[in-house]
Amino acid sequence: MRNGILHLSIEKEMKTSYLDYSMSVIVGRALPDVRDGLKPVHRRILYALNDMGLKFNKPHRKSARAVGEVLGKYHPHGDMAVYDAMVRMAQPFSLRYPLIDGQGNFGSVDGDSPAAMRYTEVRLAKISNEMLRDIDKETVEWRDNFDGTLKEPVILPAVLPNLLVNGSSGIAVGMATNMPPHNLNEVVDAILAFIDNPDMETRELMDYVKGPDFPTGGIIYGRRGIFDAYSTGKGIIKVRAKTHFEEDHLIVTEIPYQTNKSSLLKSIAGLVKKGIVQGVADLRDESDRKGIRIVVKLKKDAVPEVVQNQLFKHTSLESTFGISNIALVDGQPRLLTLKDLIFEYIKHRRNIIERRTKYDLRKAEERKHVLDGLLVALDNIDEVIKIIRGSADAKEAGGKLMEKFSLSQVQVKEILSMRLQSLTSMEATSLQKEREEKAREIDRFKRILTKPGEIDRIIKEELEELKKVYGDERRTEIVDAEVEMDIEDLIPEEEVVIIVTSQGYIKRLSLDEYRAQRRGGKGLVGMKMKENDTISDVFISSTHDYVLIFSSDGKVFAVKGYRIPSGSRHSMGRAVVNLIPIEGEIRAMLSVRDFSDGKLVFSTRKGIIKKTKLSLYRNIRSSGIRAINLKEGDELVKVKLLEGGEKIVISSAKGNACVFNEEDVRSMGRTAAGVIGMRLRKGDEVVDMEVAKGDDILTVTENGYGKRTPLEQYRITRRGAKGVRTIITNERNGKVVAIMEVSDGDEVVLSSKNGMMVRIPVDGVRRQGRNTMGVKLMNLNKGDKIVSVTKV
């Protein structure tokens, strides 16, 4: 200080002042005390109502009167702050076990404001007795009120584990608390078990406390967030509304905690209007005093589960509750686990019961002391009367009695104030019985204070009684499955046809539209494609299936069916490279629902074959994974699914086919290179592979010729053989381009290098022996060649 001026660092002063302010907010307003689970305003409301005599069995009083009592004596803040806190304590949709019994309009789950305090009335709820029990027995500390004229309790005795059963929420400076409510029965059971075994871990405690129990019910999906919150103090849980279907209606009967029903309905209506939620024909709120009932009428063509999932995805019918168990412990904010919360409650109750017992013991000893004096006086009543009558005043009489019978001042005072009726034998007997009762009470209180486990026994008894009187059934259901909301949940499952072209364009059509194309005559031949592009594959899948795409360089990619762009019958589709980072050519595409069963068989240009369990391809990255290790200069030709027991047919360009049982190939790892499947002559190469079950084998050559031959005419060899003749490859036929298993009724599309396509029925191709020339299947222009054959 210089010249009477105090010089301070503004940075230091701001820091100190802000810390003082933040701690004032944390301790005095925003965070609950771990012992009674109350913030100062709630504690003052309960104490003030109790002080006014507004017990649960007394008439209600105007809320304005109660608010005035709290403001004038204990809480010098705004009247609406007190009234809002009082209202929340009375709302059955805000507190799991309301502490205030309100009469009148206290708001609704629609977000309606409560009536003004001059219209509503309040009194303590019955369960609030368990918050205030024994407050008059020196069980808690007291402090001056804001003006020093009255005393208020620092905490309440709280037999009710209020912080656990009712939770709390509040925003302080630099921290916030958001503690969920729980079921009283479960909390009591957990506390009882913890008293018996303080070494219990979170998993064991969760056998009793299953999870939060919200007053509005709902469904909690998954236990991971619950376990995180209970073991660390922080966690996130997902809560969904409880719904069911009634014919073409979706009925909502419970909504997530703290969800505004009116806002929810407006949100649904807005999303339907914008087209974000589809399939909703009408929306009605049929809620009444019996409970919530939101009726969503569905359109005739709507898939109920899809509409339901759309509502969960886009509205507050599904919400997250972020748990943050921060409360004041010894005046300091702490992040608390479930074990910590239970421990602090037990610690608090042990302290309360010890203080209560000491108080009761002192009062019992004081009364027994008085009774001892009265009984001495009765035993010597004649002499006592003589002393009193012979004394000038009460002071002299008291001194003589104290000296004569060794009595205390307190005892003498009671003797001197004793009424004449106490001299009767009946009164004397009554005093003797009371003295014996007090002696027994003193012994009991001393035993509680000295014998280990007695206080815990009392805690248990009180909790059991609490459970018996106030316990109820759980309202919030907990299911084990985590909610992983995926776009797939919003898409109806349907069978689709996926069409791929040789230049890498892909699209999907609904199966109905595809069948309409086939009936139309031209069908696939009429679809729009780029110049010289041809159809390379057509297969049926589902919007919920995985489509495995195998490239010529031995990699595999996975795409959900619904991610393949939907196209019209004449659209070109979309380039595959826009879906996956594929570099080589597409050589095979398979539809897979799950990866638990089945095997894959691979064939390469140089005659290598490999069989692998499908389950090894369960986790395919977005960038793809290695499906087979190829030797230098080799490339993947075809991949097929095996069910077991099939014949594998490998065809070479020069007209040989090697047929063997799939059991001849042992299963290998995902990155294995494979083994010899077919030995090739010089200059020959594998062009196709088929997994056959016993029908005909259609062989097609590049010059448009082909034939079908029964599989039984192919000699079964061992893996690694050169195979047998499947078709004569001469100047007329050219090389083999494709083989496939066919049966009567099938149709195939032949596509040429120059973009020509023709669809032919397999019935029109007559059966021939293996070593034959075949018949013309497609007329080609000079220089044109067939490049792909697809069964449709």
Side-chain angles (χ1 to χ4, degrees):
M1 182 179 289
R2 296 194 302 271
N3 300 324
I5 299 174
L6 182 63
H7 292 268
L8 295 172
S9 164
I10 189 168
E11 180 182 352
K12 182 178 180 181
E13 181 62 22
M14 287 291 289
K15 183 176 181 180
T16 303
S17 299
Y18 190 74
L19 285 173
D20 290 343
Y21 162 72
S22 63
M23 283 306 297
S24 173
V25 172
I26 288 168
V27 176
R29 188 183 308 171
L31 298 184
D33 193 292
V34 72
R35 293 169 290 183
D36 61 6
L38 297 172
K39 301 176 188 178
V41 64
H42 302 112
R43 188 178 301 115
R44 287 164 177 166
I45 289 170
L46 293 180
Y47 178 68
L49 295 184
N50 184 67
D51 204 35
M52 291 171 68
L54 296 184
K55 301 291 183 69
F56 74 95
N57 52 0
K58 297 296 174 59
H60 292 80
R61 296 284 290 275
K62 285 291 184 183
S63 297
R65 171 73 177 83
V67 169
E69 185 83 3
V70 176
L71 287 179
K73 291 184 176 180
Y74 310 111
H75 199 72
H77 296 278
D79 59 344
M80 288 311 299
V82 175
Y83 186 52
D84 287 347
M86 186 182 293
V87 164
R88 187 175 184 277
M89 295 169 77
Q91 290 175 333
F93 52 86
S94 292
L95 260 63
R96 182 64 177 81
Y97 300 91
L99 300 174
I100 299 289
D101 178 11
Q103 188 167 274
N105 175 16
F106 278 82
S108 73
V109 74
D110 284 316
D112 300 322
S113 299
M117 67 180 81
R118 63 182 178 274
Y119 298 119
T120 61
E121 298 178 336
V122 294
R123 66 182 178 188
L124 290 172
K126 184 177 180 181
I127 200 169
S128 292
N129 282 358
E130 311 305 331
M131 296 294 295
L132 295 151
R133 191 201 297 181
D134 302 325
I135 196 170
D136 56 348
K137 291 188 175 182
E138 300 178 2
T139 50
V140 297
E141 298 294 332
W142 296 77
R143 63 185 170 206
D144 290 338
N145 69 340
F146 61 90
D147 62 2
T149 59
L150 295 168
K151 294 287 186 181
E152 64 173 316
V154 175
I155 56 164
L156 298 185
V159 178
L160 179 73
N162 183 59
L163 190 57
L164 277 164
V165 299
N166 273 328
S168 184
S169 63
I171 300 174
V173 179
M175 65 182 66
T177 186
N178 198 32
M179 304 179 70
H182 292 86
N183 182 270
L184 178 60
N185 286 348
E186 294 180 3
V187 170
V188 167
D189 289 341
I191 296 172
L192 295 176
F194 189 83
I195 291 174
D196 292 333
N197 180 16
D199 295 325
M200 293 180 73
E201 297 300 327
T202 302
R203 290 286 186 194
E204 297 173 282
L205 288 172
M206 286 182 68
D207 290 337
Y208 301 95
V209 182
K210 308 299 182 183
D213 188 24
F214 300 110
T216 53
I219 303 172
I220 296 174
Y221 276 77
R223 301 180 189 272
R224 168 51 58 185
I226 300 173
F227 178 76
D228 289 343
Y230 288 173
S231 57
T232 68
K234 284 184 177 290
I236 296 176
I237 60 175
K238 289 188 177 181
V239 187
R240 274 187 174 183
K242 187 169 286 187
T243 62
H244 68 273
F245 295 105
E246 294 179 5
E247 296 180 350
D248 59 345
H249 294 81
L250 170 65
I251 311 297
V252 180
T253 55
E254 295 175 6
I255 59 177
Y257 184 49
Q258 296 176 332
T259 295
N260 185 309
K261 178 162 65 70
S262 179
S263 298
L264 170 65
L265 291 167
K266 289 178 182 177
S267 171
I268 294 173
L271 292 169
V272 171
K273 188 175 181 180
K274 293 177 183 177
I276 296 174
V277 173
Q278 299 177 347
V280 175
D282 191 21
L283 180 65
R284 299 193 306 275
D285 184 6
E286 297 181 357
S287 305
D288 55 23
R289 291 183 179 181
K290 295 179 181 178
I292 290 173
R293 182 178 169 88
I294 299 171
V295 180
V296 182
K297 185 177 181 181
L298 308 178
K299 293 180 179 178
K300 289 183 179 180
D301 59 344
V303 180
E305 290 77 11
V306 172
V307 176
Q308 178 179 252
N309 285 331
Q310 287 178 339
L311 292 172
F312 284 145
K313 177 74 173 179
H314 298 293
T315 74
S316 53
L317 283 178
E318 177 183 304
S319 65
T320 58
F321 188 93
I323 299 174
S324 180
N325 293 333
I326 297 178
L328 296 175
V329 180
D330 298 326
Q332 298 295 319
R334 264 186 57 192
L335 185 65
L336 300 164
T337 65
L338 176 61
K339 191 173 180 178
D340 293 335
L341 289 167
I342 292 175
F343 173 78
E344 291 296 335
Y345 168 80
I346 295 171
K347 177 182 172 184
H348 166 63
R349 287 303 301 163
R350 283 170 176 163
N351 178 56
I352 295 296
I353 291 171
E354 182 179 355
R355 294 182 66 152
R356 181 185 72 190
T357 305
K358 287 179 178 178
Y359 174 86
D360 289 337
L361 174 61
R362 189 178 79 246
K363 290 296 183 183
E365 288 176 335
E366 288 175 357
R367 179 59 180 165
K368 179 177 177 295
H369 181 63
V370 170
L371 292 170
D372 287 342
L374 292 174
L375 290 172
V376 167
L378 288 174
D379 289 342
N380 302 277
I381 190 62
D382 293 334
E383 194 168 353
V384 168
I385 292 174
K386 182 179 178 181
I387 291 173
I388 293 173
R389 292 184 66 182
S391 300
D393 52 27
K395 184 176 181 181
E396 181 184 342
K400 290 179 178 180
L401 289 172
M402 289 172 64
E403 181 179 356
K404 177 67 176 177
F405 299 107
S406 300
L407 298 173
S408 69
Q409 192 169 358
V410 173
Q411 289 173 319
V412 168
K413 184 179 178 181
E414 288 292 330
I415 291 170
L416 292 174
S417 61
M418 186 170 57
R419 293 176 295 176
L420 288 175
Q421 71 180 32
S422 299
L423 301 179
T424 65
S425 60
M426 187 176 293
E427 284 292 325
T429 302
S430 176
L431 290 174
Q432 182 63 39
K433 286 183 179 179
E434 186 183 356
R435 182 188 178 281
E436 292 172 358
E437 176 63 28
K438 291 301 174 185
R440 286 193 293 271
E441 285 183 2
I442 290 169
D443 289 342
R444 179 164 59 86
F445 295 144
K446 286 182 177 179
R447 186 170 65 253
I448 291 171
L449 292 172
T450 57
K451 187 177 179 181
E454 279 296 298
I455 290 179
D456 284 351
R457 180 186 60 79
I458 294 172
I459 293 175
K460 288 182 179 181
E461 288 178 355
E462 292 178 345
L463 286 172
E464 291 282 9
E465 183 64 21
L466 199 67
K467 178 180 174 182
K468 180 180 178 181
V469 176
Y470 303 103
D472 58 4
E473 294 297 319
R474 163 174 280 280
R475 297 180 188 175
T476 302
E477 183 182 348
I478 302 175
V479 298
D480 289 325
E482 294 280 355
V483 176
E484 296 295 339
M485 177 59 75
D486 195 289
I487 188 67
E488 182 177 330
D489 298 324
L490 312 179
I491 295 173
E493 183 174 2
E494 62 173 333
E495 286 192 314
V496 293
V497 174
I498 296 175
I499 302 173
V500 188
T501 72
S502 60
Q503 293 189 13
Y505 284 83
I506 190 170
K507 71 174 180 178
R508 63 179 166 90
L509 296 169
S510 71
L511 190 57
D512 290 340
E513 185 176 2
Y514 173 72
R515 285 169 176 160
Q517 284 194 29
R518 292 188 63 185
R519 288 194 299 269
K522 292 185 178 180
L524 294 172
V525 180
M527 70 176 286
K528 184 179 178 181
M529 285 185 288
K530 295 182 71 174
E531 186 177 356
N532 296 333
D533 199 2
T534 59
I535 293 172
S536 64
D537 203 356
V538 177
F539 62 98
I540 295 175
S541 183
S542 165
T543 49
H544 287 195
D545 282 357
Y546 289 95
V547 176
L548 302 185
I549 304 174
F550 297 85
S551 63
S552 56
D553 57 0
K555 292 189 74 175
V556 60
F557 304 83
V559 180
K560 276 287 190 176
Y562 59 79
R563 287 194 57 215
I564 294 173
S566 176
S568 67
R569 59 189 300 175
H570 296 304
S571 66
M572 186 168 59
R574 185 177 176 188
V576 175
V577 291
N578 292 329
L579 296 177
I580 55 174
I582 190 170
E583 295 180 359
E585 298 178 15
I586 296 175
R587 286 298 161 81
M589 297 184 72
L590 302 174
S591 178
V592 175
R593 171 49 58 98
D594 60 59
F595 294 83
S596 57
D597 296 318
K599 295 178 181 178
L600 296 177
V601 60
F602 299 78
S603 179
T604 74
R605 191 71 69 193
K606 292 186 175 181
I608 300 297
I609 194 166
K610 185 182 92 165
K611 184 169 73 173
T612 309
K613 290 181 179 179
L614 180 60
S615 58
L616 298 178
Y617 298 85
R618 188 186 305 275
N619 301 312
I620 299 178
R621 296 185 293 271
S622 58
S623 58
I625 59 173
R626 176 63 54 190
I628 182 174
N629 272 324
L630 298 170
K631 295 181 179 179
E632 187 176 353
D634 201 0
E635 64 179 23
L636 189 63
V637 169
K638 189 61 68 76
V639 184
K640 289 284 187 177
L641 271 171
L642 286 173
E643 295 178 0
E646 300 99 331
K647 302 288 190 297
I648 296 176
V649 183
I650 303 176
S651 177
S652 73
K654 292 187 175 180
N656 276 11
C658 183
V659 182
F660 52 90
N661 295 314
E662 63 91 4
E663 292 91 345
D664 290 349
V665 186
R666 63 178 176 85
S667 288
M668 305 176 191
R670 179 174 63 82
T671 57
V675 294
I676 294 293
M678 180 179 184
R679 297 190 184 276
L680 300 169
R681 293 180 173 83
K682 187 176 181 180
D684 204 358
E685 63 182 10
V686 171
V687 293
D688 206 352
M689 176 187 68
E690 179 65 295
V691 173
K693 295 182 179 179
D695 289 325
D696 296 342
I697 299 297
L698 175 68
T699 304
V700 181
T701 66
E702 62 184 354
N703 290 340
Y705 290 87
K707 67 181 180 69
R708 54 190 289 215
T709 304
L711 179 63
E712 60 195 31
Q713 291 192 19
Y714 288 83
R715 179 167 55 87
I716 307 300
T717 64
R718 302 287 294 177
R719 173 187 63 79
K722 292 182 179 180
V724 296
R725 176 74 65 186
T726 183
I727 195 171
I728 296 174
T729 53
N730 52 21
E731 187 176 348
R732 186 197 79 159
N733 285 353
K735 295 180 179 179
V736 175
V737 293
I739 62 167
M740 65 181 58
E741 187 175 39
V742 295
S743 58
D744 290 339
D746 288 343
E747 291 184 339
V748 294
V749 171
L750 284 69
S751 304
S752 76
K753 182 174 63 175
N754 293 337
M756 297 293 293
M757 283 184 286
V758 65
R759 189 172 75 196
I760 63 171
V762 170
D763 295 356
V765 181
R766 68 183 177 87
R767 290 183 176 87
Q768 294 180 284
R770 288 187 299 101
N771 198 18
T772 55
M773 297 275 286
V775 297
K776 183 174 283 294
L777 302 179
M778 180 179 181
N779 289 317
L780 296 170
N781 294 327
K782 188 175 181 179
D784 201 3
K785 302 285 185 183
I786 289 179
V787 292
S788 70
V789 182
T790 307
K791 184 164 61 175
V792 297

